[in-house]
Amino acid sequence: MLVVIELIVVLGCIYWGLKMGGLGVGLAGGLGLAILTLGFGLEPSAPAVDVILIIMAVVTAASTMQAAGGMDWLVHHAGNLMRRNPRYICFLAPMITWLMTIMAGTGYTVFSTLPVISEVAKEIGVRPSRPLSAAVVASQVAISGSPISAAMAAMISIMEPIGVSFLEIMAVCLPASFLAAMVAAFIASRQGCELKDDPIYLERLQQEQKEKQAEKTLSLNFDPRAKYSVFLFLLATVAIVVYAAFPVLRPAFEDGSMMSTRDIIIVSMFAVACLMVPFCKINPDAIIRTSTFRSGMSSVAVILGIVTMGSTMVNAHLPEIKEFAGTLLQSYPMLLSVVLFGTCTLLLSQGATTPLIIPLALSLQVPHWAILASFVAVTGVFVLPTYPTSLAAIEFDSTGTTRMGKNIFDHPFLLPGLVGVVVATLFGFIIAPMVV
């Protein structure tokens, strides 16, 4: 009976946090943690310190790049690329957002590209909901393949100490995330009627409700130094991948240990953020005012609250969980993908789901290759159309073709995302045993 009450507390705090949104999710997790520990006497779980430190370092560097105008510079060239190849916008748009998320480690980079995608699609007569939904889903699934995302930071910090190398993780997760994005793009490109036949668009067209967000974006005058921030950030990302993939290059210490991937990410990101300030002539105060900094640091509170609360309850009842689910997951390891997907749908955070579920899977003796194969399924944020990037796509579509619909699940993100994740998970279960 006590377990049921504890579960109600956890789910109730998650629900309340989601209703508040943003930082409220982490605050509600903190309240739940207080009830579980001070109220029920459970031993608090150790916070995911490694994950939090990596997120803070990456967010600082990405925010510095945004303050330097690097994000706007990327969006400008992405818009030009789509305009030069309008026939392929349903695939170019998700490729661009996937790549930007892989580079930046956060799917929120898609915010700046959505107005461009919407307006370019409208100009060439393509239903905007197709490239918009594909682009949003691509930015979400890219989290499972980005070497510097919060979810991957957790994955690396958990899997490397048990002998699974960074190169093995990326060899499975990176192509799986790209495949998920492209399958989602294919499905999205065939959703809905043509733009000229959409009744809501025709009604808006008659009322002349047209916005020119794309033209505004393309007419910006960029500081030439903005591109330096992109090159510096890209250089740091490449350095992280090289050092992580080839341990022989890492600094070695007197006790025989080597510099960890966590420390390499932190050092590289802080160093490159510092270099951007003089090279791009940035006022450091401008960094903390960027949207990337605000959303990124909010995710730290979310992870600290929700993940610690969830892992506290899981650790308290680990023997019972092992008895109930251990044999099942060992016999059917693909069920781990369902657990990851469902938990992410509930928490609306890949970064929070990973440090909560992956240690549990290891304690239940799920094979290492099955964990890598299932990791692309840590992308359940598109199930409900309430995720920030999904809501933004709906708002930026001036034609009205990207909409929630009358029911909860009849929105354009669900089917492409679901099919993409399923296909990519199957791919993962084929390739992972060959890699690990």
Side-chain angles (χ1 to χ4, degrees):
M1 183 61 184
L2 188 60
V3 177
V4 175
I5 297 175
E6 292 169 359
L7 183 61
I8 291 174
V9 169
V10 170
L11 295 178
C13 287
I14 291 174
Y15 177 77
W16 187 29
L18 293 177
K19 292 286 285 185
M20 288 191 288
L23 188 63
V25 180
L27 299 180
L31 175 62
L33 180 63
I35 296 173
L36 292 177
T37 55
L38 302 178
F40 294 101
L42 300 186
E43 181 180 355
S45 172
V49 176
D50 287 353
V51 179
I52 291 172
L53 292 176
I54 292 174
I55 291 174
M56 292 178 68
V58 173
V59 165
T60 300
S63 302
T64 308
M65 179 174 67
Q66 184 178 8
M71 292 289 191
D72 292 333
W73 185 83
L74 282 173
V75 172
H76 171 76
H77 289 284
N80 286 342
L81 178 62
M82 287 186 286
R83 288 179 178 277
R84 288 195 297 267
N85 302 275
R87 293 175 54 192
Y88 307 106
I89 189 173
C90 289
F91 292 93
L92 278 175
M95 283 183 184
I96 290 169
T97 57
W98 180 86
L99 183 59
M100 288 178 66
T101 302
I102 290 292
M103 289 175 52
T106 171
Y108 290 145
T109 56
V110 76
F111 283 128
S112 53
T113 63
L114 292 176
V116 182
I117 295 170
S118 176
E119 292 304 312
V120 171
K122 186 170 70 173
E123 286 177 11
I124 63 177
V126 172
R127 183 183 179 89
S129 67
R130 293 172 177 174
L132 282 173
S133 59
V136 167
V137 171
S139 71
Q140 293 167 352
V141 297
I143 294 297
S144 64
S146 171
I148 55 175
S149 69
M152 185 58 75
M155 189 71 163
I156 293 169
S157 64
I158 294 167
M159 299 300 288
E160 271 201 337
I162 61 173
V164 181
S165 71
F166 173 85
L167 199 57
E168 289 173 328
I169 295 172
M170 295 306 299
V172 177
C173 298
L174 186 63
S177 71
F178 182 74
L179 178 62
M182 291 302 98
V183 170
F186 176 79
I187 299 298
S189 67
R190 283 154 175 76
Q191 280 196 137
C193 63
E194 297 301 322
L195 179 61
K196 60 183 178 62
D197 299 322
D198 189 279
I200 293 181
Y201 169 64
L202 294 176
E203 181 181 346
R204 292 191 180 191
L205 192 63
Q206 291 174 354
Q207 296 172 355
E208 297 184 351
Q209 295 179 352
K210 300 178 181 180
E211 300 176 1
K212 298 297 181 182
Q213 294 163 311
E215 291 179 6
K216 181 180 177 182
T217 302
L218 292 173
S219 62
L220 291 174
N221 294 318
F222 295 102
D223 188 325
R225 292 184 292 265
K227 62 183 177 183
Y228 298 157
S229 67
V230 178
F231 296 149
L232 285 170
F233 192 90
L234 183 59
L235 180 63
T237 304
V238 171
I240 290 168
V241 172
V242 171
Y243 276 110
F246 303 101
V248 68
L249 299 177
R250 303 184 189 186
F253 309 116
E254 292 182 359
D255 61 358
S257 63
M258 291 186 298
M259 193 171 181
S260 66
T261 301
R262 181 204 71 178
D263 292 339
I264 290 172
I265 294 174
I266 293 172
V267 168
S268 300
M269 285 295 159
F270 266 106
V272 80
C274 182
L275 290 175
M276 287 181 199
V277 173
F279 272 98
C280 304
K281 299 189 182 304
I282 307 168
N283 184 344
D285 290 338
I287 299 171
I288 61 176
R289 293 195 295 266
T290 62
S291 59
T292 300
F293 191 88
R294 292 195 301 271
S295 62
M297 291 307 172
S298 294
S299 69
V300 171
V302 171
I303 291 174
L304 185 60
I306 288 292
V307 173
T308 309
M309 177 186 68
S311 58
T312 294
M313 182 178 174
V314 168
N315 290 342
H317 302 285
L318 193 55
E320 298 96 314
I321 294 173
K322 286 182 177 180
E323 183 179 352
F324 174 76
T327 305
L328 192 63
L329 280 174
Q330 290 174 33
S331 302
Y332 305 100
M334 192 174 286
L335 288 177
L336 177 61
S337 62
V338 179
V339 175
L340 285 167
F341 187 82
T343 305
C344 187
T345 301
L346 184 64
L347 296 181
L348 285 177
S349 171
Q350 295 108 312
T353 300
T354 304
L356 180 63
I357 299 301
I358 299 302
L360 176 61
L362 288 172
S363 68
L364 297 176
Q365 298 182 346
V366 177
H368 297 169
W369 63 265
I371 293 176
L372 297 188
S374 302
F375 190 57
V376 71
V378 74
T379 313
V381 294
F382 56 75
V383 173
L384 298 175
T386 53
Y387 195 69
T389 51
S390 301
L391 290 174
I394 293 171
E395 291 299 321
F396 280 126
D397 185 358
S398 60
T399 67
T401 61
T402 309
R403 48 187 180 260
M404 294 188 186
K406 297 180 180 179
N407 302 311
I408 296 176
F409 299 106
D410 57 342
H411 55 83
F413 311 100
L414 180 61
L415 186 59
L418 194 59
V419 175
V421 167
V422 169
V423 172
T425 302
L426 294 174
F427 168 79
F429 272 85
I430 293 173
I431 190 174
M434 305 176 189
V435 174
V436 180

